[in-house]
Amino acid sequence: MRLTALLAMAARVKVHPDYRYGTSRPWTVGAQRMNPPGKKRRKVFVEPIQPEDWSLFKGDTVEVLAGKDSGKQGKISQVIRARNWVILEGLNTHYRYIGKSGEYRGTYIASESPLLVREVALVDPSDRKPTQVEWRFTEEGERVRVSLRSGRILPKPVVQRRDGVVPEQWKDGPKDTSPDDALEKTYSASLKTFEEEIAEATGVVETRAGRRTFWY
Amino acid sequence: MGLLSGLARGLVRGADRMAEWTSKRGSRTFYKNRGARKTGVLTSSGKFVRVREMVPELVVPRLDAGFKLKPYVSYRAPPGMEEPQTPHKLFTEVVAPQIEKEIKEGTFDPDNLEKYGLERSQEGKIFQLYPKNYVR
């Protein structure tokens, strides 16, 4: 019983429509403790923001407009779209103990609290002040964020990969296909099916046709 | 999930009813297939006759001479820009030039479209497009 339950936890978590998203991701143990199956919580109303209008990404520098740390600038460390949340590094913190066991009270750490996207504004890199941002197209046709005050393009922040690989500096190993070989176009369109082409290439001559079948 | 929501945690009793019943469980006489398909026919005398056409044969390209693809792809490769092939694109690339050439020469025959690849029925073909009568 417990083994199947454990294996089920490793699989993708199915979330019901009124799931209450928290700061822990749904597949973590903490989130499962908060939202055991069958628990119903009051619905949280979230401002609907279309995916194409979303302009905050992990790694962006933003300024806080409301709350305890209003006026400070920080980097986004996590984005939770389901609740329009951004979590900044080291800002909007409250303090708590973690790792409490037995009589040991645990470590006292500062933990960040999420901020709504409306309480936060992107920072224009030219004058380092908060601005409103719009999505526009460049001459080449690329979709970019443009600051409304100065017209400067805000590039999408480059986030380092968790495994530490920098694609531009990657050295191919013996089992890696080189980028040129991988992107080579060897497909030639023809009306033959894949199997017919292979039969032709290997010289297989098949004159027997299958039995007549019917489908409804 | 197989959690019985009515019982308190840690006091769950009994076998796991939601676990899959496979051929690994059950007694010595319990037989259950796990998806392997038959490669022949069992005759009335009890002999199993292997049919070559039912045995899968892997057709693999030659991996030694001039084969440049390897198991993994380098991280430096950008995401490809190939669009998926549609019937419209296939027609435009293969059949339309033939028809245009024949119209220019004046030999276009609208009654004999079979020579440009039109198949009015799938009967008689070994690899029929519908119903899909072969394993991919």
Side-chain angles (χ1 to χ4, degrees):
Chain A
M1 164 60 131
R2 284 155 198 93
L3 177 64
T4 28
L6 229 103
L7 292 171
M9 265 155 49
R12 192 200 165 89
V13 176
K14 282 193 192 65
V15 137
H16 61 269
D18 283 333
Y19 182 85
R20 168 77 68 108
Y21 286 87
T23 42
S24 326
R25 306 313 280 131
W27 54 84
T28 49
V29 167
Q32 269 156 14
R33 218 181 286 142
M34 291 280 211
N35 291 309
K39 181 163 182 184
K40 283 196 182 172
R41 285 201 66 173
R42 217 166 288 175
K43 189 179 153 90
V44 159
F45 293 97
V46 156
E47 187 202 338
I49 298 183
Q50 300 300 317
E52 54 266 11
D53 296 330
W54 188 273
S55 38
L56 295 171
F57 299 103
K58 187 170 148 176
D60 268 335
T61 320
V62 293
E63 182 164 320
V64 184
L65 305 171
K68 204 165 65 154
D69 289 331
S70 60
K72 295 192 188 158
Q73 294 186 358
K75 200 158 83 154
I76 297 178
S77 67
Q78 199 183 1
V79 163
I80 298 171
R81 290 258 195 133
R83 290 195 63 171
N84 287 353
W85 274 346
V86 283
I87 299 180
L88 310 182
E89 267 173 28
L91 290 183
N92 202 24
T93 54
H94 53 273
Y95 297 89
R96 63 184 173 114
Y97 289 97
I98 62 167
K100 176 178 185 323
S101 70
E103 289 310 307
Y104 174 51
R105 63 182 172 200
T107 339
Y108 195 60
I109 58 148
S111 75
E112 299 95 1
S113 191
L115 286 158
L116 284 170
V117 288
R118 295 293 175 201
E119 295 165 1
V120 133
L122 274 166
V123 157
D124 194 339
S126 48
D127 55 359
R128 285 185 298 176
K129 295 263 171 49
T131 40
Q132 300 306 309
V133 157
E134 209 181 36
W135 283 99
R136 287 191 203 150
F137 290 91
T138 57
E139 295 284 317
E140 289 87 35
E142 207 192 313
R143 193 162 171 263
V144 286
R145 301 179 293 183
V146 167
S147 149
L148 286 177
R149 194 174 50 220
S150 64
R152 195 198 187 284
I153 294 176
L154 273 69
K156 198 163 159 182
V158 176
V159 179
Q160 285 152 7
R161 288 172 61 115
R162 279 247 295 256
D163 48 17
V165 167
V166 180
E168 288 81 24
Q169 297 163 10
W170 176 255
K171 282 195 207 22
D172 290 345
K175 291 190 185 173
D176 281 324
T177 330
S178 68
D180 310 308
D181 290 334
L183 292 173
E184 205 181 303
K185 289 192 184 176
T186 51
Y187 171 66
S188 54
S190 84
L191 291 176
K192 290 196 181 306
T193 58
F194 185 55
E195 290 78 13
E196 285 171 6
E197 276 186 25
I198 290 186
E200 218 176 310
T202 47
V204 169
V205 173
E206 185 64 63
T207 44
R208 308 172 287 181
R211 184 165 261 228
R212 214 163 147 225
T213 53
F214 299 91
W215 60 302
Y216 304 98
Chain B
M1 281 243 291
L3 264 175
L4 300 166
S5 51
L7 296 171
R9 259 215 225 130
L11 293 171
V12 180
R13 277 182 48 188
D16 184 1
R17 280 178 150 262
M18 291 295 131
E20 200 189 331
W21 179 246
T22 68
S23 55
K24 293 272 178 186
R25 305 173 65 185
S27 68
R28 241 179 347 168
T29 54
F30 175 61
Y31 168 76
K32 186 174 190 263
N33 194 13
R34 215 137 182 206
R37 296 174 64 160
K38 287 205 153 31
T39 57
V41 147
L42 196 65
T43 52
S44 57
S45 64
K47 188 170 163 186
F48 184 79
V49 174
R50 196 192 66 167
V51 174
R52 193 168 162 179
E53 283 81 7
M54 289 166 86
V55 173
E57 189 185 330
L58 297 177
V59 179
V60 174
R62 285 201 61 181
L63 303 176
D64 46 354
F67 190 73
K68 290 172 283 186
L69 302 179
K70 304 240 184 77
Y72 302 95
V73 177
S74 161
Y75 278 107
R76 285 182 290 131
M81 303 296 154
E82 194 77 28
E83 282 118 32
Q85 182 77 321
T86 59
H88 187 263
K89 278 175 77 174
L90 186 64
F91 182 88
T92 329
E93 280 165 39
V94 178
V95 180
Q98 286 176 17
I99 296 182
E100 271 186 61
K101 193 165 78 94
E102 302 234 328
I103 290 175
K104 285 200 179 92
E105 286 167 11
T107 54
F108 179 63
D109 187 9
D111 299 321
N112 184 20
L113 293 171
E114 271 77 9
K115 65 176 170 165
Y116 307 116
L118 175 68
E119 281 155 8
R120 295 201 189 263
S121 91
Q122 300 289 314
E123 249 186 76
K125 279 178 71 177
I126 300 163
F127 295 114
Q128 293 174 2
L129 290 171
Y130 49 86
K132 194 176 74 154
N133 61 352
Y134 50 90
V135 169
R136 270 230 160 102

